[in-house]
Every structure is written in C-alpha cells, then in structure tokens.
Amino acid sequence: MSRSAHPAGPRHADVLPEGHYTAPPADLNVLDPKVWSRTVTRDAQGALTVGGIEVARLAEEFGTPAYFMDEADFRARCRAWREAFGTEADVFYAGKAFLSRAVVKWLYEEGLNLDVCSGGELATALSAGMPAERIAFHGNNKSEAEIERAVEAGVGRIVLDSFQEIVRVAHIAQRLGKVQPVLIRVTVGVEAHTHEFIATAHEDQKFGIALAGGQAAEAVRRALKLDGLELLGIHSHIGSQIFDMAGFEVSARRVVQLLAAIRDEHGVELPEIDLGGGLGIAYTSEDDPREPHEIAKALSEIVTRECESARLRSPRISVEPGRAIVGPTAFTLYRVGTVKHLEGLRTYVSVDGGMSDNIRTALYDAEYSVALVSRSSTAEPMLSRVVGKHCESGDIVVKDAFLPADLAPGDLIAVPATGAYCRSMASNYNHALRPPVVAVNDGEARVIIRRETEEDLLALDVG
Ligand code: LLP
C-alpha cells in the first residue's frame, strides 16, 4: 500500500518530511478520472460537480462532512460486472462495503445478488425487497437467531464457516422443516499481497475451514450426510484490495481440485464455486485496478482449464465484489477548519470529520487522494496532512498529499474513493454524528442515509 518517498520539492522543499508521496501533479486543478467517480467534472470556475450539481450547493444543502454517491456510476459498475460475468455466473455485491435500502434497490434493478454478513445487513436487504433467494449469508460466528432468520426467510445460500456451524445450520433447518442450500468456505492457503488485517486465505486466521490436512474434505463429508443441508459448492475469499490475479488463480485451482476429490470420493459433482471478492480499486493515481471483464476472463479461463484437466463439468461461478463496485462511486466532502504550518515539519489541514467517518487510514495505513474542490487555484503545491477533529493524533484522513498553498479555512476539500468501508465502518467516537450519504444523479440529490443528530445519540443513552 505504499508509494516511494520522493525528494522533489514544492513548498518546504528544503525540509520535506518523511512520508510516502510522489512529486506533485503538474496541475493540482486536474482531477485524475481513475480516482473520481464517473460524472465528476470541474466547472468553469474550477468547482467540482457531481451528477451535474456543484459541491458548494451540495455543502450548503446537506452540510459537511458528507458522503456523496454517484448513482449513475454505481449502476454502471453493477452492469459492467453483470455483463462481464454473463448469465453463466452470479455477481453478489458484498454489502459490508456499504449497504442501504437505496443501494439494495439499485442492485436488484441491475440484476445483482447480495452478500450479507449480519442480522442487520440481512434485515436491510429484506426490508428493501431483495428476494431472499438472491441473498447469501456469510460470517464466522452467525448467531442461532441470525441463522434462524435467514433459513426462515429462505436465503439462497448460507456459507458455512466451521464444523460447529455445519451442525448448527442443519439442526435449525430441520427444526424449521427446510433444506437449506449451503456452501462451505475453505481457506486455500494463499498469501494475498495486502494488509494483514484484510488477508483471509492463509491458514492462521479465523475464517473458513482449511484445505490443508483434509479439514475441508472432512467438512464436506459431514455436510453431505445431514438432511437439513443441500451442499451446493465451495467458497473461497482470499482477501481485499488485491491487484494481482495470481492469488485468485491459485485459489480457483485449489477449489476445483477439491471438487474433483469430492467427485472421486462421493460420486457427486457439486454445481457451484464462489471465488469471493477482494478486487482492488484506485485510491491514488499510483493504483492500477483491473476491469471486470479482465477479471471475469481470467477466472473463467482458469476454472475451465482446471475442470477440463480434472474431467469435471464446469461449475457455476460466483464472485462477491464490494469495494470494486461502491468504492470509486463516492467522495467525502469536508470543510477546512484550520491550516497549521509547522515550519520544518509539515502542514496540517484540519477538517470537520476524521477517523469517525474514515478509519481506514488509521487502521490499515490506507492511502487516499484529496483535492480542493470549491474553487481552482494557481498557488504552488503544498505537501499537507489532512487530519480530523478527534482527540487523537492518529486521526489522519490523508497522510501525505499536495493541496494548493493558498488553502484557507472555509474551503471545501474532497477525498475520493470513500464509497467502501468508510460509512459502513463509521463510529461515534468523541460523540461525532455520523455523516449522511447523499445520492446524486442527473441534477438531483437525495439523502439515502441521513446525518445523525444529537437526539439520535441521546436516544440511545437511557440514563
Ligand atoms: N466476500 C467475503 C466473504 C468477504 O469477507 C469480503 C470482504 C468480500 C466478499 C468483499 O471484499 P471487497 O471486494 O469489498 O474487497 N474493512 C476492510 C475490508 C474488509 C473486507 C472484509 N471482507 C477495508 O476497509 O479495506
């Protein structure tokens, strides 16, 4: 996740601090389309517009900080994934990246399925009308109540994550007089090249059942024997923010090999494999993500090849992108409060949000871009650290980025690519009020998640 330190120099050139940054772009007013959502442009005065609406208007109407989501971009990304995988595969959007009822409706309309991993996500999906059979339910420790709710609702897949859960789901399904379609999540032993906390297919972690040592084969044996379960296939998710397809190839190969072993032992060809999500997006100009059609092609080629060599019928493939769909579709809009130049060190730009609306920088050392969006500027680039208003020095939104040196209190700045894992991981730290999510489309803006109020906070505090 890091860029190389670059000694070239804008303001403070003689005393550039340690950090990960490249040389400033030639023109700070130019927005890199890689990191901004599709309908973002700058108007003649240099103000950013999204969905045809200027940010100053959005700030005035909805306040800051706020997340603005480009609905046309979200829908276009859904369609790109759908079309890339065609009718022979299923795309499950991973709701943990960001979920709201409006999003569920968009997914439904664009032909995607939905992955949930908690009772709350399941409730949101069902309440927005997603048909239960298009929902898959994940999690390493689903409660009995959650499993019951999912089975009762008739979710299309429950992804079994442990030996205990195999029995638990089977019992609940039997008690409810149902046969629950399930997948077994396996850990394939791939070391994904990403942050340790978001890598999930190496063996020493909490998810899934290891292929190694015959554990997964044993789980299949047990699941096939239980009346309450219909074992449809095998699931693998290797991690998140991954650019290199090699890990997916190894994972697909190992999963297909397990299908072949199951066929040899039980005479059953399981009809499905789910290869998870985890595809990386561009947070900065340094990142080069793959397009859905390249990903679809690479995955289907490897599965076809492996199946041919094992003389297996090709299973139906599912994928579960979260970040790759929603991540690039939103930016967070902040208002600058203070600008502090620490001579010989760095410039701190404080905004009206922070780690409560974007924990990813503090938690994963994530990198983001940032731009002045309320006006253009011809001032020289100033290496800046964008920080929040929380009582913690690790409260950093963007570690190292260039902003114009005339940046001043009252300016609006925006951090792109915050659609995934920002609002969904937001907190009330310091009793911050979580920002709204506003969908912008074709000249119209509407709140899809409203801003929290002090009344909301006090309503939870029962005294
Ligand atoms: N499928 C499964 C089983 C998952 O566990 C995940 C993510 C996904 C799909 C979607 O992954 P995506 O395509 O969005 O990378 N909070 C972290 C990411 C945690 C991902 C957890 N599982 C972050 O902010 O980077």
Side-chain angles (χ1 to χ4, degrees), residues 188-191 211 236 238 245-257 275 299 302 306:
V188 293
V190 172
E191 294 284 342
L211 278 178
S236 160
I238 59 172
M245 289 303 289
F248 288 98
E249 295 206 2
V250 176
S251 160
R253 184 172 309 129
R254 293 188 184 161
V255 167
V256 171
Q257 284 165 357
L275 296 172
L299 291 182
I302 181 85
E306 291 300 316

Side-chain angles (χ1 to χ4, degrees), residues 94 96-97 115 138 185 198 235 237 239-241 276-279 320-324 360 364 421 425:
K96 66 203 84 184
D115 215 78
H138 282 268
R185 176 164 175 172
I198 52 177
H235 176 282
H237 170 77
S240 259
Q241 186 58 2
L279 286 314
E320 305 170 333
R323 183 189 328 258
R360 297 193 69 261
Y364 312 118
Y421 304 110
M425 294 176 80

Side-chain angles (χ1 to χ4, degrees), residues 52-302:
I53 309 182
E54 201 228 298
V55 281
R57 220 186 95 197
L58 293 172
E60 194 179 322
E61 189 172 344
F62 302 102
T64 56
Y67 308 97
F68 291 97
M69 188 164 281
D70 187 336
E71 179 180 341
D73 192 18
F74 186 100
R75 287 180 180 273
R77 286 176 195 278
C78 289
R79 282 196 292 277
W81 277 87
R82 223 343 334 133
E83 282 158 18
F85 281 85
T87 51
E88 301 303 301
D90 294 306
V91 181
F92 285 78
Y93 168 79
K96 66 203 84 184
F98 173 70
L99 197 64
S100 76
R101 290 196 272 198
V103 158
V104 174
K105 191 168 153 279
W106 302 342
L107 294 168
Y108 174 75
E109 288 169 0
E110 301 300 341
L112 265 64
N113 297 346
L114 174 62
D115 215 78
V116 298
C117 67
S118 71
E121 288 183 1
L122 179 61
T124 304
L126 292 173
S127 86
M130 181 59 92
E133 64 273 13
R134 280 170 59 178
I135 300 174
F137 190 25
H138 282 268
N140 65 302
N141 189 19
K142 307 167 193 81
S143 71
E144 297 227 347
E146 286 174 323
I147 295 169
E148 219 169 275
R149 175 102 197 265
V151 173
E152 244 163 8
V155 301
R157 309 279 176 275
I158 291 184
V159 183
L160 302 173
D161 199 272
S162 66
F163 284 102
Q164 283 140 7
E165 198 174 75
I166 294 173
V167 179
R168 205 172 281 154
V169 173
H171 281 170
I172 291 173
Q174 263 188 315
R175 177 155 48 77
L176 296 173
K178 301 223 185 190
V179 177
Q180 176 60 47
V182 294
L183 305 177
I184 292 178
R185 176 164 175 172
V186 301
T187 42
V188 293
V190 172
E191 294 284 342
H193 295 145
T194 187
H195 192 281
E196 182 197 351
F197 292 174
I198 52 177
T200 57
H202 53 298
E203 272 127 23
D204 183 7
Q205 45 90 23
K206 69 171 184 166
F207 293 108
I209 300 176
L211 278 178
Q215 299 277 299
E218 177 57 22
V220 168
R221 244 168 251 136
R222 295 189 194 180
L224 283 173
K225 280 198 200 118
L226 292 167
D227 289 340
L229 305 180
E230 180 192 10
L231 180 60
L232 289 180
I234 301 298
H235 176 282
S236 160
H237 170 77
I238 59 172
S240 259
Q241 186 58 2
I242 298 168
F243 292 104
D244 184 357
M245 289 303 289
F248 288 98
E249 295 206 2
V250 176
S251 160
R253 184 172 309 129
R254 293 188 184 161
V255 167
V256 171
Q257 284 165 357
L258 177 61
L259 290 191
I262 295 167
R263 188 256 335 259
D264 295 345
E265 182 178 340
H266 304 280
V268 184
E269 290 198 21
L270 297 183
E272 293 187 14
I273 62 175
D274 187 325
L275 296 172
L279 286 314
I281 62 163
Y283 285 104
T284 74
S285 301
E286 308 287 295
D287 298 323
D288 275 312
R290 304 278 184 123
E291 292 297 324
H293 67 87
E294 296 174 80
I295 296 159
K297 185 162 174 282
L299 291 182
S300 83
E301 275 174 8
I302 181 85

